[in-house]
Amino acid sequence: MEIKKLIDDPKAALVIRIIAIVFAILFVFMMWMFFSQNARIKEAEALNTELQNVNEQLKLENEQIQLNNEFQALDDQFQAIENQSLKVAVNDSISKEYDKAKQRIEELRKELKNEKNKNSKRIKELQSEIETLKGILRHYVEQIDSLSRENAGLKAENAEMRSKNTQLTTQMGEVSQQKKVLEERMELAEKLNVTGVTFSALKKNGKNEKRITKAKQLKVSFTIPQNNSTPVGVKNIYLRITSPEGSLLGGAGTFAFEGTNLQCTARKQIEYGGEEIPDVTIYWDVNTALNTGEYLVELFTDGYRLASRRYTMNK
């Protein structure tokens, strides 16, 4: 009976509806926070996976360059020995062994150029074959030396080797640049941003002052937009105001920026939870004579310069 009376009572029914709406809003908000956090985690994992792939590709490219250099060096040495063999009588078994090793070198070099074979396991197999070819080369050199001492003065590396090394080095540089760009994208995605930066002079009562020379306070206002990639937590916002004469106003301590410590005019601490924070305001009490002209306003946090604006203030 009591429940029926509550339902029949218009005021009680209104209260029940309001409570139901509030619970519904809270439930929707909690679900939105859950899915937003999950999306941010997946985005970070995707960026991390991409960076790992670039690192692996860079490692394989470097190993490929080393292998190509060793293959080229072996070919040069075989070529030098072949030129010497024109001057001495070499038995057929040594010549066949040489021709077989040289043919294998060419096969390995072609395989190395194949994009499909760029994996760690195959590169290790190629390294093992290099050692085998080196053994064949040493044996061949010993046989040639026993027949003739005319094997001095091997050829220096040729133009083809330099061209191929340059090409592979360029590819390695491109991969390194891709890695750098990816790292910069990740850093920029996490950077806190500000919008709508304003700079104004105030009277003693807090109202706007048109004449900068009579200002009692300077005010900088801005909005911090939503950014699901920015780490949440306490953020220290540092303000620098530079006068038309080039002097920094105020002195509220220092902060680290690009390997050095900078003085700031004022600072403000905020709690950032990933949501938009409108109307963030930092004040500075005027304690020196101000002149008309162009003022530079800068905002910093987490090692980033968030904004740099110039404002012309009239007398």
Side-chain angles (χ1 to χ4, degrees):
M1 290 297 293
E2 293 294 328
I3 295 175
K4 188 174 185 305
K5 289 180 179 181
L6 287 174
I7 295 175
D8 292 338
D9 186 352
K11 292 183 178 180
L14 178 60
V15 170
I16 291 173
R17 291 192 189 95
I18 292 174
I19 292 173
I21 291 171
V22 169
F23 274 104
I25 292 173
L26 287 175
F27 176 78
V28 171
F29 177 76
M30 290 175 67
M31 292 299 294
W32 179 84
M33 287 292 293
F34 172 80
F35 286 112
S36 177
Q37 182 70 15
N38 190 44
R40 183 172 60 187
I41 291 173
K42 289 183 178 179
E43 181 181 357
E45 289 175 349
L47 287 174
N48 185 54
T49 299
E50 186 176 351
L51 180 58
Q52 290 177 353
N53 291 337
V54 171
N55 286 335
E56 183 64 22
Q57 181 66 19
L58 182 61
K59 179 181 177 182
L60 292 178
E61 290 288 351
N62 185 51
E63 291 178 346
Q64 184 188 27
I65 290 174
Q66 294 177 359
L67 282 177
N68 188 77
N69 289 343
E70 292 189 38
F71 287 158
Q72 184 65 55
L74 281 175
D75 186 59
D76 286 348
Q77 292 179 46
F78 273 124
Q79 185 64 45
I81 295 170
E82 184 180 42
N83 292 338
Q84 292 181 34
S85 69
L86 297 176
K87 301 178 182 179
V88 297
V90 182
N91 61 53
D92 291 341
S93 62
I94 296 177
S95 296
K96 290 180 179 179
E97 187 177 12
Y98 160 72
D99 291 335
K100 183 178 179 180
K102 182 176 179 181
Q103 182 179 358
R104 184 56 183 156
I105 288 176
E106 293 301 323
E107 291 173 357
L108 293 177
R109 291 181 68 181
K110 290 179 180 179
E111 182 177 352
L112 189 64
K113 293 178 182 179
N114 190 342
E115 293 290 338
K116 297 180 180 178
N117 292 326
K118 289 185 180 178
N119 60 79
S120 297
K121 180 180 178 181
R122 184 54 187 150
I123 284 181
K124 289 181 180 178
E125 293 174 354
L126 295 178
Q127 288 173 334
S128 177
E129 292 208 47
I130 286 178
E131 294 302 321
T132 301
L133 291 173
K134 284 182 178 178
I136 295 173
L137 176 60
R138 284 193 295 269
H139 175 69
Y140 187 67
V141 171
E142 289 171 359
Q143 293 297 317
I144 294 295
D145 285 343
S146 67
L147 297 172
S148 175
R149 299 296 179 183
E150 300 179 9
N151 62 340
L154 297 177
K155 287 185 178 181
E157 61 183 30
N158 53 35
E160 182 183 359
M161 176 181 176
R162 289 193 296 269
S163 175
K164 291 180 179 179
N165 283 344
T166 300
Q167 182 180 2
L168 290 174
T169 301
T170 300
Q171 293 175 356
M172 183 176 174
E174 291 174 351
V175 173
S176 298
Q177 183 62 28
Q178 292 174 2
K179 177 184 175 183
K180 181 180 178 181
V181 170
L182 180 59
E183 290 174 344
E184 290 175 350
R185 274 170 41 198
M186 291 180 67
E187 290 180 1
L188 290 175
E190 295 180 351
K191 178 184 174 184
L192 196 71
N193 294 310
V194 296
T195 59
V197 181
T198 62
F199 176 61
S200 56
L202 302 179
K203 298 178 181 180
K204 187 175 182 179
N205 59 6
K207 294 184 178 181
N208 287 337
E209 173 60 69
K210 294 182 179 180
R211 298 184 179 182
I212 188 69
T213 55
K214 292 185 177 182
K216 300 301 181 182
Q217 271 189 332
L218 297 182
K219 181 181 76 170
V220 175
S221 298
F222 52 91
T223 294
I224 299 176
Q226 177 182 345
N227 188 344
N228 292 331
S229 297
T230 300
V232 299
V234 175
K235 303 290 183 181
N236 290 307
I237 309 294
Y238 300 95
L239 168 66
R240 281 172 57 91
I241 302 176
T242 304
S243 70
E245 295 77 24
S247 301
L248 180 71
L249 301 182
T254 63
F255 63 95
F257 180 70
E258 294 185 349
T260 187
N261 289 325
L262 296 180
Q263 289 280 344
C264 66
T265 302
R267 67 175 70 191
K268 184 165 188 174
Q269 192 175 83
I270 63 169
E271 180 73 29
Y272 185 67
E275 301 298 321
E276 178 180 302
I277 303 178
D279 300 326
V280 180
T281 303
I282 303 178
Y283 296 94
W284 178 71
D285 295 330
V286 177
N287 57 18
T288 185
L290 299 180
N291 298 319
T292 60
E294 188 176 70
Y295 285 76
L296 174 63
V297 175
E298 298 174 288
L299 294 169
F300 300 81
T301 191
D302 294 337
Y304 292 105
R305 180 187 278 111
L306 305 182
S308 178
R309 306 282 192 275
R310 294 183 180 277
Y311 299 88
T312 300
M313 306 301 288
N314 297 320
K315 183 176 180 181

